[in-house]
Amino acid sequence: MPTIDLETETGREEALRRMLTIRQFDTTAGERFADGEIPGFVHLYIGEEAVGVGACAALEDDDYITSTHRGHGHCIAKGLDPKPMMAELYGKREGYCNGKGGSMHIADVDAGMLGANGIVGAGPPLGTGAALTIDRKDEDRVALSFLGDGAVAQGQVHSAANLAATWDLPVIFLVENNGYGEGTPAEMQHNVENLSATAGAYNVPGITVDGMDITAVNEAVTEARERARAGDGPTFIEAETYRFHGHFEGDEELYREDDEVERWQARDPIETFAQRLIDRDELTDEEYEALQSEVETTIEEALEYAQSAEEPAPEEAYDDMFAAEVPEITEFARRVRADGSGHGGER
């Protein structure tokens, strides 16, 4: 069974809850970053929630995903807990990566979330590698790699797609085309009208869907997952979406006009989906308000958890770097703990 069954009322309500959770989480993260509480950078997923939730709803719990620098939404869509997520943004020990990953490198391998990534286009090679593992182990699961429109121009993305197509690996490449690679319009970066046309170079299906419609995304990923599980290889999906905020929090957004943003905001994927449920008598206005209130409480609790969590000790910086103990690194870390220098008094 999929993680969230959009064919049921319960599943549709849970999908709405996750989209609201993403929106509230990133709204809070943006505000706290602007206040100087959160270190590093944050790239907000606000406006793109239907892609992450629609895609992950089509997956099984043990399927893998790889993410991007704009990964908070993917994490929540895959079922990660906002509390350790927020703690990770704050660089706290209770974070998913003990505070060492921050916003752009949240990962939870046990949940199938193989990591957000600050390197543009780094997800598809990892997703293809995960799919190769699935294939070698003859497992009944798939990998899905999120990537942005700018990443489609990266060489490693094409290397991964070529290998996956040649070996019929069970991986889905999902392009979140929000119209801009940082501040450069997509049409100035690519020589095709639809990025899904890229799939033709590898003789695999390529489709473009409305990324503001959770149902359209879910149906496309459901079909792609069935194809992958059947041994027919990858699918290349382009979801046309839009980020309501800048590339990063603090972006002056000089590259787009206010009326363009307003046109896309009028198609808000959360509000349109909620209205659809209300029109079907699956949800009342009062129930929707109550759901929003519940989500706000959830994120408030996550924020309090992160703010009160412990800071990692400096000497823990070298922990968890290797799966197996490496004597040279162990000795180096011992010296750091002993005198803080790393050279133990010797040069």
Side-chain angles (χ1 to χ4, degrees):
M1 293 293 292
T3 304
I4 302 173
D5 188 356
L6 291 186
E7 295 297 318
T8 67
E9 287 190 25
T10 301
R12 288 189 285 272
E13 181 178 334
E14 177 58 26
L16 179 59
R17 179 188 299 275
R18 290 203 189 181
M19 286 200 290
L20 286 168
T21 301
I22 294 168
R23 178 71 58 90
Q24 189 61 36
F25 183 96
D26 266 5
T27 297
T28 300
E31 292 170 350
R32 296 301 173 171
F33 175 81
D35 289 342
E37 287 188 25
I38 294 176
F41 276 100
V42 293
H43 301 79
L44 307 182
Y45 200 63
I46 294 172
E48 301 184 31
E49 297 90 349
V51 183
V53 176
C56 289
L59 304 178
E60 300 284 352
D61 286 336
D62 61 353
D63 287 338
Y64 296 118
I65 67 168
T66 67
S67 184
T68 68
H69 56 279
R70 199 178 307 282
H72 306 162
H74 304 149
C75 291
I76 293 171
K78 194 65 168 72
L80 271 63
D81 186 342
K83 286 184 176 180
M85 279 184 61
M86 191 69 79
E88 187 61 35
L89 265 64
Y90 270 76
K92 298 297 185 68
R93 180 182 283 137
E94 284 83 350
Y96 270 111
C97 302
N98 305 120
K100 297 177 183 178
S103 170
M104 288 190 283
H105 298 93
I106 298 175
D108 183 7
V109 176
D110 291 338
M113 169 52 176
L114 301 184
N117 207 307
I119 301 174
V120 174
L126 298 176
T128 297
L132 177 59
T133 299
I134 293 167
D135 182 68
R136 295 290 183 175
K137 291 184 175 181
D138 196 25
E139 295 176 333
D140 185 19
R141 60 171 83 178
V142 304
L144 183 148
S145 287
F146 291 98
L147 63 153
D149 47 281
V152 176
Q154 293 290 322
Q156 71 269 24
V157 170
H158 295 273
S159 294
N162 182 65
L163 184 67
T166 302
W167 289 355
D168 289 327
L169 298 179
V171 60
I172 302 163
F173 301 109
L174 178 50
V175 180
E176 297 177 305
N177 184 357
N178 60 28
Y180 294 91
E182 295 196 12
T184 305
E187 60 268 23
M188 294 179 64
Q189 302 180 63
H190 307 285
N191 198 35
V192 290
E193 182 176 354
N194 292 316
L195 298 181
S196 58
T198 304
Y202 309 108
N203 196 30
V204 299
I207 59 173
T208 297
V209 299
D210 181 0
M212 306 300 273
D213 182 350
I214 186 173
T215 302
V217 176
N218 181 257
E219 289 175 351
V221 175
T222 296
E223 182 177 344
R225 187 181 187 279
E226 291 173 354
R227 183 173 184 277
R229 287 182 61 218
D232 294 330
T235 301
F236 200 94
I237 301 171
E238 174 191 18
E240 295 181 324
T241 183
Y242 200 80
R243 50 174 166 78
F244 293 170
H245 287 239
H247 170 64
F248 58 88
E249 189 60 16
D251 183 359
E252 295 182 4
E253 302 181 59
L254 301 178
Y255 47 85
R256 60 185 187 179
E257 301 295 333
D258 290 343
D259 61 344
E260 175 185 301
V261 179
E262 290 168 2
R263 285 197 305 274
W264 281 92
Q265 287 177 332
R267 299 180 56 209
D268 188 315
I270 296 177
E271 294 303 319
T272 54
F273 186 59
Q275 189 60 52
R276 194 185 310 169
L277 299 186
I278 291 170
D279 292 344
R280 291 177 178 173
D281 294 325
E282 294 181 19
L283 185 73
T284 66
D285 290 320
E286 293 75 18
E287 289 170 338
Y288 183 38
E289 291 176 4
L291 183 58
Q292 290 173 305
S293 180
E294 290 175 20
V295 168
E296 288 175 4
T297 299
T298 296
I299 301 306
E300 287 172 2
E301 292 173 350
L303 179 62
E304 292 171 1
Y305 177 84
Q307 290 172 328
S308 62
E310 292 184 4
E311 299 275 357
E315 60 267 21
E316 296 174 12
Y318 296 98
D319 293 347
D320 306 318
M321 291 180 65
F322 298 92
E325 187 173 285
V326 179
E328 293 80 5
I329 298 298
T330 302
E331 175 60 18
F332 180 77
R334 184 194 65 74
R335 291 178 178 178
V336 169
R337 291 189 177 96
D339 68 2
S341 69
H343 53 74
E346 300 174 4
R347 293 190 181 274

